[in-house]
Amino acid sequence: MTDSSPSGSNPDEMTLDEIRQAIAPSLPEHVAFDGWSDQALALAAYQHKIPIERARLAFHDGRIQMIDAWFDSVDKVLIEKAESLSLDDMRVRDKIQALIMARLEIMQPYREALRRALSILVMPSHVPHSSQLSWHAADLIWKLAGDKSTDFSYYTRRLSLDAIYMATLYVYLDDKDPELANTRQFLARRIGNFMKVHKIKSWFKRSEDSKFSFSRLLGRLRYPSK
């Protein structure tokens, strides 16, 4: 196993943030056997030649902080991978599907770690934090897809994608197909439904704007366009 410490830094000289970044990508391979536990942290720390005391200090909040760090590392890989997806040539729905599938494929070798993470995050005491994580994932995907909305649609798009992404995660965890065919089909249907609703809302908005307005007519009569 290779040492992925930042710039080959001496572990004793690394900041706690650098230790988290170094250890995070290696956590899930140990979590599959030992859960999100101190044992998994110890093995990942040993892999990077980081003293366990320093690793425990970096992850002093325990397993939730370990899960956060792993998801952060997944996001970094997704941002890099997005550059090779030719997103500019895709429709919006295809961009969203490509990005969600890319994120799932990054986590594919560690599905058991993901399953264990979700089982922790759905606990009542962790639901608010879980909501923040799923919102962050939806926000990142929209931004990578080129969304620049700043009005109310900024929130509705993310709330909708949040729901789509979380529902897809559970299909993904049970998908036995090597190519994740069931996951792809489910995701495509959900995104298709979202796009239809979005188009209907846009149509209604246009219809409202195009309706006869007596006040608008008076305004035009009073201030005719030149």
Side-chain angles (χ1 to χ4, degrees):
M1 298 180 183
T2 58
D3 180 6
S4 61
S5 300
S7 304
S9 302
N10 182 335
D12 292 327
E13 298 175 354
M14 293 167 62
T15 66
L16 297 183
D17 187 53
E18 288 174 336
I19 289 175
R20 282 189 289 271
Q21 291 179 37
I23 291 178
S26 303
L27 284 170
E29 63 188 85
H30 304 294
V31 168
F33 301 100
D34 298 296
W36 291 94
S37 63
D38 185 72
Q39 177 66 13
L41 178 60
L43 290 170
Y46 177 78
Q47 181 177 335
H48 295 276
K49 301 177 181 178
I50 295 173
I52 183 56
E53 294 77 12
R54 294 275 289 159
R56 285 175 178 145
L57 186 60
F59 291 95
H60 60 275
D61 286 337
R63 57 188 186 176
I64 288 296
Q65 194 170 22
M66 292 164 65
I67 292 170
D68 286 354
W70 178 44
F71 284 158
D72 283 344
S73 72
V74 170
D75 287 341
K76 289 178 182 177
V77 177
L78 177 61
I79 292 169
E80 294 174 359
K81 192 170 184 177
E83 297 178 1
S84 63
L85 293 178
S86 302
L87 295 174
D88 291 341
D89 301 327
M90 298 182 188
R91 299 176 300 173
V92 172
R93 68 173 63 192
D94 297 328
K95 291 180 182 180
I96 297 300
Q97 180 161 355
L99 288 165
I100 290 179
M101 290 307 305
R103 197 172 199 270
L104 296 180
E105 287 164 2
I106 292 168
M107 296 186 288
Q108 176 72 346
Y110 313 112
R111 273 208 275 188
E112 182 56 31
L114 176 61
R115 191 188 307 276
R116 292 182 180 231
L118 292 178
S119 69
I120 293 171
L121 292 171
V122 296
M123 293 179 179
S125 60
H126 296 147
V127 167
H129 187 70
S130 176
S131 299
Q132 291 176 3
L133 290 176
S134 58
W135 172 273
H136 174 77
D139 182 47
L140 176 61
I141 289 169
W142 268 118
K143 286 178 178 176
L144 291 175
D147 179 55
K148 294 181 173 60
S149 60
T150 55
D151 55 6
F152 188 67
S153 64
Y154 172 91
Y155 300 98
T156 57
R157 289 178 183 180
R158 281 150 181 79
L159 283 171
S160 298
L161 186 56
D162 185 342
I164 291 171
Y165 177 65
M166 292 306 297
T168 303
L169 272 183
Y170 288 99
V171 175
Y172 163 73
L173 288 174
D174 290 331
D175 195 345
K176 302 296 189 288
D177 186 88
E179 301 300 323
L180 301 176
N182 294 333
T183 303
R184 295 178 191 279
Q185 292 170 10
F186 176 84
L187 178 58
R189 288 196 302 270
R190 294 298 296 267
I191 293 176
N193 291 338
F194 164 74
M195 296 304 294
K196 285 179 183 177
V197 171
H198 183 69
K199 285 182 179 179
I200 290 172
K201 287 181 178 179
S202 298
W203 183 84
F204 273 117
K205 185 177 185 304
R206 289 197 299 271
S207 297
E208 288 293 329
D209 292 341
S210 62
K211 283 182 180 178
F212 173 76
S213 170
F214 187 70
S215 60
R216 189 184 302 138
L217 174 61
L218 289 179
R220 287 180 178 175
L221 290 174
R222 186 175 181 182
Y223 304 104
S225 58
K226 295 181 181 180

